Amino acid sequence: MNLEQLAEKELRKDEEEQRILSGESSASALTPLAGGPPLDLNHPFYDVARHGIVQVAGDDNYGRKLVIFSCCRMPPSHQLNHRKLLEYLKYTLDKYVESDYILVYFHFGLRSSNKPSLSWLQNAYKEFDRKYKKNLKALYVVHPTNFIRVLWNIFKPLIRYDEKLRASQKGGPPRPTRTPPPRPPLPQQQFGVSLQYLQDKGNGDLIPLVMRETVLFLKQKALKTEGLFRRSANIQVIKEIQKQYNLGKPIKFEEYGDENIPAVILKTFLRELPQPLLTSQIYDQVQSIGTVESSLRVTRCKQIIQSLPEHNYIIVKYLICFLHMVSQESIFNKMNPSNLACVFGVNLIWPTKGPATLHALPPINMFTELLIEYYSQVFSARILPNEVLP
């Protein structure tokens, strides 16, 4: 049995298992999901793009584009030009490959009726040269099956060849990376340093410069911008602005002509704090918010927030006050407290070791949503003399 036959055999096994698990009929198994047409009817890739097989799903927490390939949206092979599908995938990636990006492959839905040939897959792999691989930070395969293992055996020689070729081009085998010794921050450093450092270097200002300037701009110019904080911005521009801030140079967001840039800068600032703004000390209390009776959760949030150190409390109140303003314009910007919580929760608090797990996200989001929606109640009891509000 050759590899093509072996792959076909495993794929049919996978199909049968999927039918048993989902209780679907043979007819429904072959029906692709309808994707909204992302291109104009006259676009040369419209006939491929209309299926929604390849989609760009926004950014991850590090500002990297997420490109999604969904097998369940692939129509039967006789209805799709696979060569054109490859060209459309490259056409989509070409817009993002100069920056870091993530590729997510959803395997569920690949069947005998819609799968491309193995020779097509091999040719496709060969066409994805260094241009596409150099900034690919991760490839996630969702719902892997035995068919994927067969493909791995087919592609293993090509992958190994790629590794050897890259090693030879670099003058030898890759060396283990070493963590460079920590460097002292620049005198005007704004990103990646503690709140205390920022206060000491900022003439005692309690609200960090980056937060103050981004909030001020967004409050004046972007409260009604649809998708505020959900849309991405050019990663190179973001890095350049961070560099300018760290060198102590003034930033004028008006000159960039993109309201999403200061929104991303604000999220990046919070994410790069050495310690979370809400502090690690209250992490376990935040995680238990879902166990509190719903009628008592706002009161519990208030108790937790009151326990923050004074400096953190002032900054948190400043930020949540602004996010509450954003939520009040949700009829225009589509960012209600729940949507804002999904964006900001993971940037306000995280565990002491590693990123938050999927299991940990719901209570973090719930806690953040309560802070935003019930801002007045949560922050009413503790009034500090040095408070600053947006």
Side-chain angles (χ1 to χ4, degrees), residues 1-236:
M1 182 179 295
N2 61 31
L3 288 173
E4 183 89 40
Q5 292 171 326
L6 178 60
E8 181 69 22
K9 178 181 178 182
E10 293 300 333
L11 188 56
R12 289 188 179 280
K13 286 182 182 178
D14 296 339
E15 285 183 59
E16 188 59 33
E17 290 177 4
Q18 289 174 16
R19 289 195 188 103
I20 293 172
L21 289 173
S22 62
E24 65 184 359
S25 66
S26 300
S28 64
L30 301 179
T31 304
L33 296 176
L39 298 177
D40 185 84
L41 284 168
N42 297 320
H43 196 281
F45 287 119
Y46 173 80
D47 58 329
V48 175
R50 66 189 179 90
H51 296 292
I53 302 165
V54 180
Q55 295 181 326
V56 180
D59 295 358
D60 69 0
N61 287 336
Y62 298 96
R64 302 174 298 194
K65 282 294 177 198
L66 292 170
V67 181
I68 312 295
F69 189 103
S70 303
C71 288
C72 63
R73 294 179 176 265
M74 293 179 67
S77 295
H78 69 275
Q79 296 178 12
L80 180 67
N81 183 327
H82 288 123
R83 178 65 204 179
K84 203 167 184 180
L85 172 62
L86 174 59
E87 293 301 323
Y88 176 60
L89 177 58
K90 292 166 66 176
Y91 166 83
T92 303
L93 292 178
D94 282 344
K95 302 173 185 177
Y96 309 108
V97 294
E98 295 306 317
S99 302
D100 296 347
Y101 72 102
I102 307 291
L103 189 59
V104 183
Y105 169 78
F106 285 97
H107 180 65
F108 184 86
L110 188 71
R111 309 179 187 284
S112 301
S113 62
N114 65 358
K115 76 171 183 66
S117 67
L118 294 185
S119 60
W120 179 88
L121 290 171
Q122 287 176 316
N123 290 333
Y125 181 86
K126 292 175 182 177
E127 289 199 26
F128 283 97
D129 54 19
R130 184 177 180 277
K131 170 185 175 182
Y132 298 95
K133 297 173 185 176
K134 65 178 180 177
N135 289 325
L136 177 61
K137 295 306 174 184
L139 168 62
Y140 295 103
V141 178
V142 184
H143 307 305
T145 63
N146 287 333
F147 177 75
I148 293 293
R149 297 186 182 94
V150 173
L151 289 186
W152 172 252
N153 289 326
I154 295 172
F155 284 95
K156 195 182 295 183
L158 291 172
I159 295 170
R160 286 178 175 172
Y161 174 77
D162 270 5
E163 290 173 348
K164 290 179 181 179
L165 182 61
R166 283 196 292 269
S168 66
Q169 290 172 339
K170 293 179 181 178
R175 298 176 181 177
T177 57
R178 295 181 180 179
T179 303
R183 293 182 298 177
L186 297 169
Q188 301 296 325
Q189 186 95 17
Q190 298 294 318
F191 290 84
V193 292
S194 69
L195 296 176
Q196 187 61 53
Y197 182 89
L198 292 171
Q199 184 180 4
D200 293 342
K201 295 294 182 178
N203 300 318
D205 288 344
L206 294 175
I207 305 302
L209 176 66
V210 174
M211 181 178 290
R212 182 160 27 91
E213 292 189 345
T214 52
V215 166
L216 178 61
F217 179 87
L218 294 169
K219 178 186 174 184
Q220 293 177 346
K221 307 287 187 181
L223 284 182
K224 295 184 179 182
T225 298
E226 185 172 340
L228 186 64
F229 294 115
R230 277 203 162 176
R231 300 189 186 279
S232 60
N234 186 297
I235 191 67
Q236 298 305 321

